[in-house]
Amino acid sequence: WCAVTMMIKQMKTPLIALSLTASSVAFAPTPLGGKHLTSSSTRLQFFEGLDKAFEDDGPLGKGITVGKVQVALAVSGAERTSKDSIFAILEEQARNNENIGSSYDDDYDEGYGDSHLSRFCHEVCLALLRKSDNWVAACSDSEWFKEQDMAKAESVYNLWADREACKFEKEYVPPKESEPSEGNPTVAIVSLIVEIQGDETNFDRAGFSIADTKSVLTSIASDCRVEGGDCLNGFEVFWTPSEPKEVLTERDTIVDFPELITL
C-alpha cells in the first residue's frame, strides 16, 4: 500500500510512500443504515457560533479547519499500468515534489507564485476529479478551531494523518518502471488530509452523491491556492494499493476504511 505526505508549518515533512501487500479485488462498503456520521454532528453548534462571532475574518473566513476526504475508485488491470492511471499520476506527483525544502521560503519559486504545497494539493484534487467516472465510494469529515487554538488544530491534523499512516507497513516512493506489465484490477482508495485557514472550504457530504463529492474536491482545489497557497497549512495524501499485482480486499476496505459510502 502507498501513501504520500507533505506538510508545511514553517517546516515540512518529506514525501513518503507506504506499502502493504493484499490479495483480491474489493468493493467499497456502505455503512450500516447508509448514514454518514461526522464529528461535527455531535458538537454544540450554539457555542461554536459564539466562538466564531469573536474571530477575525481571513481570506477564507474565520479560524482553522482540519478536513479529511477519502475516495475509492475502480481501476482495471490495463489502467493500473497506464501513464494516465490514478496510480501513475500520484506517483509522479510524489517524485516531482520529493525534494521540497525544509523551510517556508523554500516552498516558493523565487519568492512568488503558488507554493509547491498548494500546487501539489491542487494537482491531486484535479487528478481525482478527472477520474470521477471511476468513483465507487467516498466520505469526508472536518473539524473547526479558533485561531488561538492553532496547536489543537495541528494536533488533530497530525492525529488524522497518523491514523491513516498506521494502516501501512512500510514507507517508500514506488520506483518508475520503464515497461510495466499489466496489473490486476482493484479498487484504489485515496485519502486526503488538509489543514487550511478559515471556515469556508467545503468538506461536507462527500459520498452522498457524485455532485457532492465533486463539490468538496473542487472547493479544496480552489481554496488551497488562495493568496499563493499561504492559507494552506498542511496537506497529506495516502493511496492504496501500490504495486500492479497488489489488490485491495473487501475485508481490508471494511476494516481500514469503514466510513466509505457507496456512490
Side-chain angles (χ1 to χ4, degrees):
W1 292 9
C2 286
V4 176
T5 76
M6 293 184 64
M7 177 180 179
I8 177 172
K9 286 182 175 298
Q10 306 301 323
M11 61 179 180
K12 302 186 188 77
T13 56
L15 285 161
I16 62 171
L18 315 174
S19 175
L20 171 66
T21 302
S23 60
S24 67
V25 180
F27 299 91
T30 303
L32 188 62
K35 295 182 179 179
H36 183 216
L37 303 180
T38 68
S39 60
S40 60
S41 65
T42 62
R43 279 192 265 145
L44 296 177
Q45 301 299 324
F46 173 75
F47 292 106
E48 181 179 294
L50 287 180
D51 286 339
K52 288 188 177 183
F54 295 101
E55 287 286 301
D56 292 330
D57 270 320
L60 292 173
K62 301 174 182 289
I64 301 169
T65 301
V66 177
K68 178 178 73 171
V69 184
Q70 294 180 307
V71 180
L73 311 89
V75 185
S76 67
E79 186 182 6
R80 291 199 68 173
T81 54
S82 166
K83 63 181 178 62
D84 297 321
S85 74
I86 190 66
F87 298 107
I89 294 169
L90 290 172
E91 289 168 11
E92 186 67 20
Q93 285 294 323
R95 285 187 283 267
N96 289 344
N97 290 279
E98 192 170 10
N99 297 317
I100 286 181
S102 58
S103 71
Y104 178 85
D105 291 335
D106 290 337
D107 196 41
Y108 295 83
D109 291 325
E110 300 180 1
Y112 62 87
D114 288 353
S115 69
H116 294 292
L117 186 70
S118 66
R119 289 204 299 270
F120 179 55
C121 179
H122 181 254
E123 289 300 323
V124 170
C125 290
L126 287 185
L128 286 171
L129 286 165
R130 288 167 179 155
K131 299 293 182 180
S132 60
D133 288 345
N134 297 336
W135 292 352
V136 295
C139 64
S140 61
D141 196 2
S142 66
E143 191 166 342
W144 181 85
F145 299 87
K146 295 183 291 184
E147 187 71 32
Q148 68 187 50
D149 291 333
M150 182 182 298
K152 293 181 181 179
E154 182 173 351
S155 177
V156 169
Y157 173 88
N158 291 334
L159 174 64
W160 288 7
D162 287 345
R163 282 177 178 170
E164 294 305 312
C166 286
K167 298 173 184 178
F168 309 100
E169 281 187 345
K170 185 173 69 173
E171 300 181 3
Y172 81 114
V173 175
K176 187 174 183 179
E177 298 184 22
S178 55
E179 294 182 359
S181 58
E182 183 171 332
N184 293 324
T186 187
V187 168
I189 297 180
V190 182
S191 303
L192 313 181
I193 312 294
V194 181
E195 182 183 329
I196 193 165
Q197 297 171 24
D199 60 352
E200 296 179 0
T201 305
N202 177 28
F203 288 98
D204 295 334
R205 296 178 61 84
F208 280 69
S209 69
I210 294 291
D212 286 332
T213 306
K214 284 183 176 180
S215 177
V216 170
L217 290 171
T218 301
S219 179
I220 297 171
S222 174
D223 289 351
C224 74
R225 302 182 68 187
V226 170
E227 295 199 337
D230 282 349
C231 292
L232 182 64
N233 291 345
F235 173 69
E236 303 197 24
V237 54
F238 301 82
W239 76 88
T240 183
S242 57
E243 300 298 333
K245 298 299 183 182
E246 294 177 6
V247 295
L248 191 63
T249 69
E250 184 175 2
R251 179 182 180 279
D252 292 329
T253 305
I254 294 171
V255 171
D256 291 329
F257 306 97
E259 304 94 346
L260 286 172
I261 303 171
T262 302
L263 289 166

